[in-house]
């Protein structure tokens, strides 16, 4: 019997099935049991090529762990620092593969470049075994590949640099796995834990069983169906224990559960309301930003955002306007005339266009001369001057370059 501290799981016995996929599938079954803080393990209850034989050895409603390896299972050792997302990991190994068709298991290893071993398997293959073994039992752990025994390496009494698992040679140090390679010529080694000898090929089965019965958990594959079985298994054990208690205790538990549920339900509703309000504010901000960008672009094109001191120039013009001259329009950076609405709008940059009328040509000429004497203006051009005899006034258009 092997003594272990910090037992947290309710499971008392677990059956670990090691499945090797090949032309003809092979199965090995290991049993591990716990009494208090002691774990006992019995290896190879059965080794066969028939899934029915394996099922017949497992009592109904037992806790079951599964290890799947062999044909169709892909292992890769890669640096995962730059690819934390699973679809990136999958595309790195299988370009153009659909993440929805595969299960991935990430196994951290002890290496200088912080690499990991990625195990990949098709969902259809894994789900078929989950369906078979989960029909009458509770699947509480499933590992794709054998790289799950980091937690029990320190328990080995005879440390070695490599161990054999089927056609895989796994490199280890005193603390964890450091790498692997596939090869055919590997010698099977005998390992020891608590003076019990076992083949190195059974180390993953032992680790998976230990992880189910003790605190240090293996790196299971993230499979929703397995998580459902784990929840069902824990719920079953909890129900058996709850039945032994009195009705007031059950009622108390239900009341506490209801209060907690009501609290978090209200909290979720509050958070959802806040999220909706935040999304509305974000949409408003995005709309304002789009409006700002559009108007800012228009002002930049029109030259109104430049360092032209428009107010200063307009003030100079206003100071010199005689009483006999009336301005009808003042256009800053006026638009180039075009005949098509489809054409791009172009502004006359650094120009002020004055349109108005004068009843005295002499005063008009004097005004133009005063404007030309202002050093801030580069030049002044009279674009149009047309005297209208019936109205006794002249219409004019002038441009000032600034």
């Amino acid at each position: 019997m092997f003594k272990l501290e910090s037992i947290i799981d309710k499971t008392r016995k677990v059956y670990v099935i090691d499945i090797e996929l090949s032309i003809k599938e092979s199965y090995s079954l290991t049993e591990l049991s716990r009494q208090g803080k002691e774990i006992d393990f019995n290896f190879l209850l059965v080794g066969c090529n028939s899934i029915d034989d394996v099922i017949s050895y497992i009592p109904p409603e037992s806790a079951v762990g599964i290890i799947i390896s062999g044909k169709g299972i892909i292992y890769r050792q890669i640096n995962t620092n730059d690819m934390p997302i699973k679809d990136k990991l999958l595309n790195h190994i299988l370009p153009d593969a659909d993440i929805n068709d595969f299960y991935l298991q990430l196994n951290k290893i002890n290496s200088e470049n912080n690499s990991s071993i990625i195990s990949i398997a098709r969902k259809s293959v894994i789900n078929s075994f989950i369906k078979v073994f989960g029909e009458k039992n509770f699947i509480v752990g499933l590992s794709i590949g054998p790289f799950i025994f980091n937690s029990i390496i320190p328990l080995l009494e005879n440390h070695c640099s490599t161990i054999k698992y089927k056609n895989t040679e796994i490199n280890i140090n005193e603390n964890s796995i450091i790498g692997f390679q596939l090869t055919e010529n590997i010698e099977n080694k005998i390992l020891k834990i608590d003076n019990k000898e076992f083949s190195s090929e059974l180390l993953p089965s032992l680790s998976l069983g230990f992880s189910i019965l003790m605190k240090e958990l293996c790196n299971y594959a993230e499979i929703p169906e397995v998580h459902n079985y784990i929840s069902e298994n824990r719920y079953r054990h909890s129900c058996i224990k709850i039945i032994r208690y009195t009705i007031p205790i059950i009622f108390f538990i239900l009341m506490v559960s209801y209060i907690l549920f009501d609290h978090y339900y209200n909290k979720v509703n509050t958070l959802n309301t806040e999220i909706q309000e935040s999304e509305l504010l974000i949409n408003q901000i995005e709309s304002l930003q789009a409006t700002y960008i559009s108007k800012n672009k228009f002002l930049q094109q029109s030259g109104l955002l430049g360092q032209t001191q428009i107010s200063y120039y307009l003030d100079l013009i206003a100071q010199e306007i005689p009483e006999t001259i009336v301005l009808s329009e003042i256009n800053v950076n006026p638009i180039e005339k075009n005949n098509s609405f489809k054409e791009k709008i172009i502004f006359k940059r650094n120009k002020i266009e004055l349109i108005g009328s004068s009843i005295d040509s002499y005063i008009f000429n004097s005004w133009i001369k005063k404007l030309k004497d202002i050093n801030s203006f580069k030049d002044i051009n009279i674009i149009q001057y047309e005297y209208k005899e019936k109205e006794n006034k002249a219409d004019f258009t002038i441009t000032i370059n600034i």
Side-chain angles (χ1 to χ4, degrees):
M1 304 290 286
F2 187 78
K3 294 184 178 181
L4 294 169
E5 299 295 332
S6 305
I7 303 298
I8 61 170
D9 202 285
K10 304 301 181 184
T11 303
R12 301 290 177 177
K13 183 178 291 187
V14 62
Y15 294 86
V16 180
I17 307 154
D18 191 333
I19 305 171
E20 182 179 16
L21 303 176
S22 59
I23 298 176
K24 194 171 184 180
E25 297 170 357
S26 61
Y27 305 86
S28 61
L29 181 64
T30 303
E31 176 190 351
L32 292 93
S33 58
R34 173 170 64 86
Q35 295 180 0
K37 296 181 179 180
E38 297 181 345
I39 290 181
D40 190 17
F41 44 93
N42 298 315
F43 287 116
L44 278 180
L45 293 180
V46 62
C48 61
N49 296 322
S50 172
I51 194 169
D52 294 329
D53 291 343
V54 175
I55 294 174
S56 66
Y57 272 84
I58 304 174
E61 299 187 356
S62 298
V64 171
I66 301 174
I67 300 173
I68 301 178
S69 61
K71 186 177 181 181
I73 309 298
I74 299 175
Y75 309 132
R76 291 291 186 274
Q77 182 174 337
I78 62 175
N79 188 331
T80 53
N81 280 341
D82 300 327
M83 290 179 292
I85 304 175
K86 284 190 174 182
D87 56 355
K88 290 186 178 181
L89 291 172
L90 181 63
N91 289 332
H92 180 75
I93 299 171
L94 299 174
D96 301 324
D98 187 353
I99 188 66
N100 297 316
D101 294 336
F102 296 87
Y103 286 130
L104 276 72
Q105 181 169 324
L106 184 66
N107 302 280
K108 290 287 185 180
I109 63 174
N110 187 8
S111 63
E112 294 180 357
N113 60 356
N114 195 22
S115 61
S116 300
I117 297 176
I118 310 299
S119 302
I120 302 174
R122 285 196 171 273
K123 287 185 177 181
S124 57
V125 175
I126 302 298
N127 289 339
S128 64
F129 289 108
I130 293 175
K131 182 177 180 181
V132 171
F133 289 104
E135 187 175 2
K136 296 181 180 180
N137 300 287
F138 294 88
I139 300 176
V140 292
L142 188 148
S143 175
I144 303 173
F147 308 101
I148 56 170
F149 54 82
N150 272 341
S151 60
I152 65 170
I153 289 178
L155 303 179
L156 296 177
E157 297 177 8
N158 51 334
H159 291 287
C160 53
S161 59
T162 61
I163 67 166
K164 172 184 180 291
Y165 177 81
K166 299 184 169 63
N167 64 336
T168 305
E169 183 179 14
I170 303 175
N171 304 318
I172 63 174
N173 57 20
E174 293 184 355
N175 297 314
S176 66
I177 299 171
I178 58 176
F180 79 99
Q181 52 271 343
L182 301 178
T183 178
E184 294 293 336
N185 301 319
I186 313 173
E187 290 186 5
N188 197 8
K189 295 185 178 181
I190 301 300
L191 304 176
K192 274 187 179 183
I193 291 181
D194 195 35
N195 291 323
K196 275 200 170 186
E197 294 184 345
F198 57 92
S199 170
S200 60
E201 289 190 344
L202 299 174
L203 186 59
S205 297
L206 179 64
S207 178
L208 182 58
F210 269 29
S211 71
I212 295 170
L213 298 174
M214 57 190 275
K215 187 175 181 179
E216 297 294 333
L217 298 180
C218 285
N219 183 31
Y220 299 139
E222 295 182 5
I223 302 173
E225 288 81 357
V226 174
H227 289 296
N228 291 338
Y229 283 119
I230 293 173
S231 300
E232 290 176 7
N233 187 38
R234 290 176 177 172
Y235 179 75
R236 181 194 65 170
H237 287 293
S238 298
C239 288
I240 293 172
K241 189 173 183 179
I242 289 172
I243 291 173
R244 298 172 185 171
Y245 289 93
T246 61
I247 293 177
I249 295 177
I250 297 175
F251 179 77
F252 174 77
I253 293 173
L254 292 175
M255 284 297 297
V256 171
S257 299
Y258 173 77
I259 292 170
L260 290 174
F261 172 80
D262 185 64
H263 169 72
Y264 286 108
Y265 180 78
N266 292 333
K267 194 171 183 179
V268 167
N269 286 337
T270 302
L271 290 174
N272 287 334
T273 302
E274 292 177 355
I275 289 171
Q276 291 176 357
E277 292 175 352
S278 299
E279 288 177 347
L280 179 61
L281 289 174
I282 290 171
N283 291 334
Q284 291 176 348
I285 291 171
E286 290 177 348
S287 177
L288 289 174
Q289 286 178 337
T291 303
Y292 168 78
I293 292 172
S294 175
K295 291 184 177 181
N296 186 64
K297 184 178 181 180
F298 175 81
L299 292 174
Q300 286 179 343
Q301 291 177 347
S302 63
L304 296 179
L305 293 182
Q307 299 178 356
T308 56
Q309 300 178 330
I310 297 299
S311 298
Y312 169 72
Y313 295 136
L314 294 178
D315 187 58
L316 292 177
I317 294 171
Q319 292 176 11
E320 302 296 337
I321 297 177
E323 294 181 356
T324 57
I325 293 177
V326 177
L327 295 179
S328 58
E329 292 183 30
I330 300 177
N331 298 319
V332 179
N333 295 331
I335 299 174
E336 291 278 2
K337 302 297 181 181
N338 56 65
N339 297 323
S340 174
F341 290 105
K342 296 181 180 180
E343 295 182 6
K344 182 179 179 181
I345 296 176
I346 301 175
F347 296 90
K348 298 177 182 179
R349 304 295 299 274
N350 299 323
K351 287 184 181 292
I352 299 176
E353 183 182 69
L354 303 179
I355 301 175
S357 61
S358 173
I359 60 175
D360 190 324
S361 60
Y362 176 76
I363 293 176
F364 175 79
N365 290 331
S366 299
W367 176 55
I368 295 298
K369 185 176 183 305
K370 288 181 181 180
L371 291 176
K372 290 183 178 180
D373 290 338
I374 297 175
N375 293 330
S376 298
F377 298 149
K378 294 181 180 179
D379 59 68
I380 298 173
N381 300 308
I382 301 174
I383 306 302
Q384 177 190 6
Y385 187 87
E386 181 181 358
Y387 180 74
K388 296 182 178 180
E389 188 174 349
K390 290 182 180 182
E391 299 177 6
N392 192 26
K393 67 176 181 178
D395 293 336
F396 65 85
T397 301
I398 65 174
T399 59
I400 302 173
N401 294 324
I402 56 177

